Amino acid sequence: MSKDNEILEQFTSKEYEHGWNIDLEADQAPKGLSEEIIHFISAKKEEPQWLLDWRLKAYRAWTKMEEPDWANVKFPKINYQDIIYYSAPKQKVKPKSLDEIDPELLDTFKKLGISLEEQKRLTGVAVDAVLDSVSVATTFKDKLGELGIIFCSFSEAVKEHPELVKKYLGSVVPQGDNYFSALNSAVFTDGSFCYIPKGVRCPMELSTYFRINAANTGQFERTLIVAEEGSYVSYLEGCTAPQRDENQLHAAVVEIYVQKDAEVKYSTVQNWYPGDKNGKGGIYNFVTKRGICAGDNAKLSWTQVETGSSVTWKYPSCILKGDNSTGEFYSVAVTNNMQQADTGTKMIHIGKNTKSRIVSKGVSAGKSQNSYRGQVKVMKRAEGARNFSQCDSLLMGDQCGAHTFPYIDVENKSAQVEHEATTSKIGEDQIFYCTQRGIDEESAIALIVNGYCKEVLNQLPMEFAVEAQKLLALTLEGSVG
Amino acid sequence: MSEILKETSLEDKFITHFNELESRINGESKSAFHDIRKEALESFKTLGLPDKRNEEYKYTPVQRVLKKNFDFGVVGEQATLSADEIRDNYIPGLKTNTLVFINGVFSEKHSEIISKDIIIKDFNLALKENKEDIETYLAKYADYKEDAFVALNTALAENGSFIKLENNKVIEEPIALYFINDAKSKEVHSQPRNLFIAGKSSQASFIEVFKTTGEQASFTNVVTEVVVNENAHIDYFKIQNNENTSYHVGTTHVWQDRSSYFAGYTFTLSGALVRNNLNIIIDGEGCESHMFGLYLLNGSTHVDNHTAVDHRKPNSFSNELYKGILEDQSHGVFNGKVYVRQIAQKTNAFQSNKNILLSNEAIINTKPQLEIWADDVKCSHGCTTGQLDEEALFYLQSRGVGKERARVLLLYAYAAEILENIKLDPLKDYLEGLVSERLHKNF
């Protein structure tokens, strides 16, 4: 028992690795939210009138909405007037190449392990780095441009491809969809835009790295991915934030539009600052992610590894509209200390013979609360729809909780829907088996948890799988159940 | 009905019923229980009848349905049922202690107690005579502060039954309660309240049968509290084989002390709208709880089963299996909750809900829910929605069984998984007959 406690103690006192911050001169808006601020953001970004109107519409919708309270999380009320909605690293001129970027900025990303320069030279991953609210660098643009792939920051897309942005922005997540998406629609400052033309298979992984640096700011980025007929793209997203005592709000929106025969794979490794072990500080991660399989045979796959954030509220969803389209959701959510996560997915089956698969693995330790909340809806016309859901929870320590809230709504008789869930701790017999084979207890736990999460980790692209595995090992080090 | 009355909300009408009750019982309006009634009424006023926005009643907006079909203008109803009409509802071949309630009111004339040394009373009488038990157990578990229907029932509680088994008492003959609504001439509504207390190491079976005769609408809002003391063994059956004009909201609250056994069986074969709540609190170590449910729905029947098991002490076991067959425009709802408190280590809890949809108009909404705060547990839930196995159907056809027969056979086999758990043979035969008849006729 004492050893357990000791190890647990060790583990819970583990410091957040990305907790540093760099003093970057930033260009900020005053605190608070009002129509003036939206005008200010829009003007700063030199946006066209239609986008300003679009934002204002979202803002007006937001003012009429109430913050949702149905999620299984508790946190003090957010004062939306106490947040800085625009913060950009000060940069005199727009950089043409990486050499012109503020070296301190490059350092920031180097610390994160994503040296933009190195990335460019060594790996085949195109990165769009977003610091606070603004995209600072995008690599591999020219090479992708040859194939007709557009991968750039959102503000650039607004300027250079307004017709595409206008067509798809809000097509999957409308402004008034929910409280946080409305807020995001009103004040989003940047993000990534990605367009894969017809029949093109994107030759490299596209990646966005988000970092909150400045204090008191909220991060509201918006990602829009459009995959035209027959195209393919794999997209990665990663995030970190400095260690601060106050809570910071991150309310992002990700929209994915998948046309006929196209496939999009979206992977996230989320490692926002989770707060200290008493639950002080940390990021509120309230994200709306949704994709639509608009055409036949389209495929959309979400993979997420959630280890950070003090409060997570996130439901990556698939609308399966096209016939024979497929939606997938693979998730590992690890919570520790005072973290709270309410995450899951929605699979809306509209087209015929649509298939979906949900694999959710929750691990809770410390005093954390981990909830799976998901919906599988089979509409009347979704002939032959098929769903399989599995959500398992692993509990470590007797202070944490694991909860499952699946909603299954079926309106078609030919649908086959299965759901299964289990909750347990790591079996003593499993640990015993390992130890009697000469594997020490800690390695045994790492081994078992890794095996437990394997199904999900296998879905990640190689570069991310390594990072995710490291993260998991770090988070679970020494946590004897 | 005059325009003015129509505009009165349902809540107001029930409040009128309460005032009427209060004036009638003026001698006891000072009793401790009447204070609870008043409290329950207050909470009913605050809660209001649930609509769609209430998560617990999301798929079953009872308020709308009640508004559409009921007037609730009159309080009591005179019944005109003959003894034969009542006897028709009895379970054949089963020797029971029989209690008959007509429109919610205990009818001594039709009731018969055959077991000895058992306290079976009209609820009203128990309020006066068994003050101690009433104060200890009544309205302790059925939470009238959370659920509007429980609050309503508590506020209007005066009819129903009080049954008490002394310690070590084993009753061989089951206790059958027939709730018969007479809706021949007018709409009818009843709010029976039952309290069953099983003493230490006692054993008994309870059967509640709900039935409506007549063409008019009927509404029942029943609350049953079951106290299962140490080492007691209780089987509890709820059988709903009703007209398609009958609306039912029923709540059963069970409290289990250590080493006790409780099995609840809910059979819903027909009705207009049925909502069943089954809540079990496991408040002792080494308990065993089972919940079985079967619903066969056709037409536009709407059935909503909500169950909740609250593991408050370690080393207990709970198991749940609910199965449904849905045809035509029927609508099925299932919500199963399992709570395992932090202290309830070494709990094993299993839950399963299976559904067969036979028509594209039928809808099933299911939500199996686990909330777990203890780590040394084994909990699982599963839920499936699908149709009959094509291969099994083909196999039977290839053996010369006609398609229709094969279908019924498979459906029956599917339902039998629930039926075979019944240990009372005559009851099992009776239900098997009912299910088989329904499957042949309607599916």
Side-chain angles (χ1 to χ4, degrees):
Chain A
M1 187 62 201
S2 66
K3 187 175 181 239
D4 285 11
N5 280 344
E6 203 179 289
I7 295 172
L8 263 177
E9 179 65 30
Q10 213 178 51
F11 154 55
T12 45
S13 57
K14 207 139 203 103
E15 296 264 323
Y16 182 65
E17 207 192 3
H18 300 287
W20 43 267
N21 77 310
I22 285 185
D23 281 329
L24 277 173
E25 245 190 298
D27 192 4
Q28 287 186 336
K31 271 185 188 178
L33 179 57
S34 63
E35 291 205 7
E36 284 76 60
I37 289 287
I38 292 165
H39 280 279
F40 172 86
I41 294 171
S42 193
K44 264 270 181 245
K45 307 201 72 76
E46 299 161 24
E47 281 174 359
Q49 185 62 34
W50 67 265
L51 192 54
L52 176 65
D53 293 342
W54 196 83
R55 282 172 184 278
L56 289 171
K57 197 180 152 202
Y59 174 71
R60 280 167 204 146
W62 180 76
T63 51
K64 288 193 198 89
M65 289 165 125
E66 269 175 47
E67 197 178 317
D69 58 0
W70 44 261
N72 193 22
V73 292
K74 284 190 195 82
F75 55 89
K77 235 180 145 33
I78 301 169
N79 182 358
Y80 291 94
Q81 298 305 335
D82 202 31
I83 295 172
I84 296 168
Y85 286 88
Y86 181 83
S87 169
K90 249 191 195 144
Q91 234 176 19
K92 303 262 155 53
V93 254
K94 211 174 161 358
K96 289 257 155 38
S97 73
L98 283 176
D99 308 332
E100 288 173 37
I101 291 177
D102 192 338
E104 229 169 298
L105 250 178
L106 284 179
D107 272 355
T108 309
F109 282 95
K110 224 173 237 162
K111 270 198 172 182
L112 285 168
I114 30 162
S115 153
L116 297 174
E117 282 169 86
E118 258 173 63
Q119 289 274 356
K120 197 172 173 185
R121 247 173 273 135
L122 301 173
T123 65
V125 182
V127 179
D128 181 27
V130 178
L131 188 73
D132 285 338
S133 301
V134 189
S135 167
V136 288
T138 310
T139 56
F140 280 110
K141 229 163 146 183
D142 302 337
K143 200 170 163 200
L144 291 170
E146 282 166 26
L147 291 164
I149 296 170
I150 304 167
F151 179 49
C152 61
S153 73
F154 206 92
S155 12
E156 214 177 313
V158 171
K159 283 188 193 120
E160 281 164 32
H161 311 281
E163 71 297 335
L164 284 174
V165 176
K166 204 169 172 177
K167 185 172 169 196
Y168 290 106
L169 181 68
S171 63
V172 189
V173 183
Q175 293 115 304
D177 185 75
N178 68 62
Y179 189 78
F180 296 110
S181 78
L183 178 66
N184 174 287
S185 304
V187 302
F188 75 90
T189 34
D190 214 335
S192 306
F193 174 77
C194 171
Y195 177 84
I196 318 288
K198 194 170 165 180
V200 172
R201 194 181 161 88
C202 187
M204 60 182 86
E205 316 274 352
L206 302 185
S207 160
T208 311
Y209 222 99
F210 296 111
R211 168 95 186 155
I212 296 179
N213 199 49
N216 293 320
T217 55
Q219 177 145 334
F220 305 94
E221 82 273 352
R222 202 163 176 113
T223 306
L224 178 57
I225 300 172
V226 180
E228 286 287 4
E229 199 179 319
S231 64
Y232 167 86
V233 65
S234 167
Y235 197 94
L236 322 171
E237 177 200 276
C239 9
T240 55
Q243 203 162 335
R244 290 185 198 287
D245 280 350
E246 87 265 12
N247 295 103
Q248 279 179 295
L249 178 65
H250 171 247
V253 171
V254 176
E255 288 180 279
I256 302 179
Y257 206 91
V258 194
Q259 299 281 26
K260 196 175 163 214
D261 299 323
E263 181 179 347
V264 174
K265 215 173 134 104
Y266 194 100
S267 319
T268 311
V269 172
Q270 186 261 103
N271 187 23
W272 294 117
Y273 176 53
D276 69 6
K277 68 173 174 186
N278 299 317
K280 200 168 164 64
I283 304 286
Y284 291 158
N285 190 28
F286 301 152
V287 181
T288 309
K289 290 187 171 179
R290 193 178 303 151
I292 181 165
C293 290
D296 296 354
N297 311 318
K299 185 175 176 188
L300 173 59
S301 171
W302 297 100
T303 307
Q304 59 173 24
V305 176
E306 301 274 321
T307 58
S309 299
S310 66
V311 181
T312 303
W313 187 97
K314 181 181 175 187
Y315 314 95
S317 315
C318 299
I319 302 170
L320 305 169
K321 196 172 152 211
D323 293 350
N324 312 318
S325 57
T326 309
E328 284 176 351
F329 174 76
Y330 295 95
S331 163
V332 170
V334 184
T335 53
N336 191 6
N337 296 329
M338 302 293 282
Q339 273 177 281
Q340 303 174 66
D342 194 311
T343 182
T345 184
K346 263 189 185 182
M347 294 287 172
I348 315 287
H349 293 258
I350 302 172
K352 292 192 178 68
N353 300 317
T354 45
K355 280 184 289 188
S356 66
R357 185 180 165 85
I358 299 169
V359 177
S360 163
K361 304 273 183 180
V363 181
S364 18
K367 289 183 180 160
S368 66
Q369 300 293 331
N370 200 334
S371 308
Y372 167 83
R373 187 185 301 275
Q375 185 182 31
V376 175
K377 194 175 172 85
V378 178
M379 309 288 256
K380 206 165 257 171
R381 294 208 193 112
E383 207 64 45
R386 185 81 179 83
N387 160 270
F388 173 76
S389 315
Q390 182 187 351
C391 38
D392 296 334
S393 309
L394 202 60
L395 292 161
M396 297 188 169
D398 56 4
Q399 304 278 309
C400 52
H403 316 282
T404 328
F405 306 91
Y407 292 75
I408 296 132
D409 303 320
V410 185
E411 299 184 15
N412 186 295
K413 68 168 178 176
S414 62
Q416 267 197 56
V417 182
E418 289 168 76
H419 172 98
E420 58 181 51
T422 59
T423 304
S424 58
K425 68 170 191 168
I426 296 180
E428 273 154 35
D429 47 343
Q430 288 170 327
I431 293 180
F432 178 71
Y433 179 85
C434 291
T435 46
Q436 61 110 320
R437 287 282 184 284
I439 302 168
D440 69 69
E441 204 164 352
E442 265 191 32
S443 317
I445 287 170
L447 191 74
I448 292 162
V449 172
N450 227 307
Y452 168 80
C453 300
K454 197 101 209 161
E455 212 178 336
V456 175
L457 297 180
N458 278 347
Q459 300 296 325
L460 286 172
M462 236 270 286
E463 294 81 359
F464 257 32
V466 176
E467 189 183 336
Q469 249 163 22
K470 263 200 303 198
L471 253 179
L472 265 185
L474 191 86
T475 321
L476 296 170
E477 204 162 80
S479 62
V480 176
Chain B
M1 194 50 59
S2 76
E3 281 306 308
I4 305 156
L5 259 176
K6 269 202 166 155
E7 277 167 20
T8 327
S9 73
L10 283 182
E11 280 90 348
D12 288 342
K13 285 181 187 166
F14 286 120
I15 293 164
T16 321
H17 293 188
F18 177 81
N19 293 338
E20 188 270 342
L21 169 89
E22 194 165 44
S23 65
R24 193 147 35 82
I25 55 147
N26 77 62
E28 290 151 57
S29 57
K30 295 257 167 354
S31 74
F33 181 65
H34 194 69
D35 289 338
I36 291 177
R37 275 194 193 126
K38 281 193 223 156
E39 245 179 72
L41 185 77
E42 284 313 309
S43 89
F44 174 70
K45 282 182 192 163
T46 353
L47 292 166
L49 286 168
D51 55 18
K52 258 183 142 156
R53 275 165 301 172
N54 187 322
E55 174 74 17
E56 291 299 303
Y57 288 85
K58 192 175 167 192
Y59 302 107
T60 310
V62 187
Q63 188 187 34
R64 203 187 64 215
V65 177
L66 289 184
K67 255 191 188 140
K68 205 169 107 193
N69 295 289
F70 290 91
D71 173 41
F72 296 109
V74 266
V75 180
E77 270 302 324
Q78 276 305 321
T80 55
L81 292 171
S82 71
D84 282 342
E85 276 176 300
I86 289 166
R87 205 157 295 139
D88 279 348
N89 298 308
Y90 289 4
I91 298 164
L94 187 66
K95 236 176 119 192
T96 60
N97 293 290
T98 308
L99 283 82
V100 175
F101 301 81
I102 298 168
N103 296 349
V105 181
F106 181 59
S107 158
E108 204 167 359
K109 191 169 71 180
H110 298 104
S111 301
E112 191 192 3
I113 313 296
I114 51 176
S115 301
K116 290 193 182 77
D117 308 321
I118 174 172
I119 305 167
I120 300 185
K121 265 184 207 171
D122 184 4
F123 181 79
N124 221 341
L125 205 61
L127 282 183
K128 293 179 198 121
E129 295 177 359
N130 299 64
K131 284 214 164 83
E132 201 179 310
D133 286 325
I134 294 288
E135 265 176 44
T136 325
Y137 298 115
L138 190 65
K140 284 289 174 298
Y141 307 110
D143 194 350
Y144 53 83
K145 294 205 169 80
E146 293 286 328
D147 189 287
F149 287 101
V150 175
L152 180 61
N153 180 290
T154 311
L156 299 176
E158 74 172 322
N159 293 304
S161 64
F162 172 87
I163 301 174
K164 189 177 177 187
L165 295 159
E166 295 297 346
N167 291 353
N168 306 316
K169 181 77 198 158
V170 177
I171 302 281
E172 253 177 60
E173 298 82 12
I175 300 155
L177 299 95
Y178 296 95
F179 296 90
I180 299 165
N181 281 333
D182 176 8
K184 277 195 232 154
S185 55
K186 267 189 210 144
E187 61 159 61
V188 58
H189 54 94
S190 56
Q191 312 238 9
R193 176 81 178 207
N194 305 307
L195 176 60
F196 305 154
I197 303 167
K200 285 179 188 171
S201 305
S202 63
Q203 184 174 353
S205 302
F206 296 96
I207 305 168
E208 288 183 355
V209 180
F210 294 89
K211 189 78 192 161
T212 300
T213 42
E215 305 292 304
Q216 305 299 318
S218 77
F219 172 61
T220 311
N221 174 25
V222 58
V223 174
T224 302
E225 286 172 285
V226 187
V227 179
V228 189
N229 279 310
E230 202 179 315
N231 211 25
H233 184 116
I234 296 296
D235 285 295
Y236 170 83
F237 301 88
K238 192 165 176 177
I239 299 164
Q240 295 154 328
N241 185 21
N242 235 324
E243 301 302 314
N244 53 16
T245 46
S246 61
Y247 300 80
H248 179 102
V249 177
T251 304
T252 304
H253 275 268
V254 182
W255 177 83
Q256 284 187 261
D257 203 345
R258 59 172 300 173
S259 307
S260 63
Y261 172 99
F262 175 86
Y265 302 80
T266 310
F267 300 95
T268 310
L269 300 177
S270 51
L273 178 138
V274 178
R275 161 68 178 241
N276 290 318
N277 301 314
L278 176 59
N279 302 327
I280 300 180
I281 297 170
I282 297 181
D283 212 358
E285 290 194 37
C287 289
E288 192 176 333
S289 315
H290 295 270
M291 286 163 283
F292 296 104
L294 180 66
Y295 39 101
L296 309 177
L297 317 180
N298 69 332
S300 55
T301 304
H302 181 124
V303 170
D304 182 346
N305 276 301
H306 268 57
T307 65
V309 189
D310 187 353
H311 284 269
R312 292 187 181 173
K313 292 280 155 67
N315 290 315
S316 285
F317 169 87
S318 72
N319 177 38
E320 176 168 19
L321 177 62
Y322 270 68
K323 287 183 126 182
I325 302 174
L326 293 93
E327 172 67 291
D328 301 336
Q329 299 88 40
S330 61
H331 189 164
V333 182
F334 172 82
N335 177 221
K337 295 190 189 82
V338 176
Y339 300 102
V340 181
R341 307 279 175 121
Q342 200 201 323
I343 187 177
Q345 301 289 352
K346 307 259 181 218
T347 288
N348 285 350
F350 305 101
Q351 184 188 64
S352 178
N353 172 235
K354 295 180 181 173
N355 299 288
I356 290 185
L357 285 189
L358 295 173
S359 127
N360 270 353
E361 265 82 52
I363 299 174
I364 176 78
N365 304 104
T366 151
K367 187 184 170 199
Q369 186 177 330
L370 294 177
E371 296 204 39
I372 292 158
W373 287 272
D375 66 328
D376 192 5
V377 297
K378 276 205 186 88
C379 298
S380 71
H381 68 196
C383 130
T384 58
T385 301
Q387 49 278 294
L388 287 176
D389 185 355
E390 289 293 325
E391 277 178 35
L393 210 56
F394 176 77
Y395 174 83
L396 285 172
Q397 279 177 277
S398 75
R399 290 289 183 279
V401 181
K403 193 170 181 183
E404 277 313 301
R405 260 203 87 200
R407 204 169 107 106
V408 170
L409 201 65
L410 286 175
L411 287 175
Y412 181 79
Y414 169 85
E417 198 188 341
I418 302 287
L419 296 168
E420 68 193 11
N421 294 299
I422 304 171
K423 279 162 249 147
L424 287 165
D425 280 336
L427 181 64
K428 190 172 163 184
D429 293 345
Y430 169 70
L431 284 167
E432 279 173 355
L434 276 185
V435 167
S436 153
E437 188 194 318
R438 279 250 323 136
L439 288 174
H440 276 99
K441 209 165 77 187
N442 302 107
F443 289 89

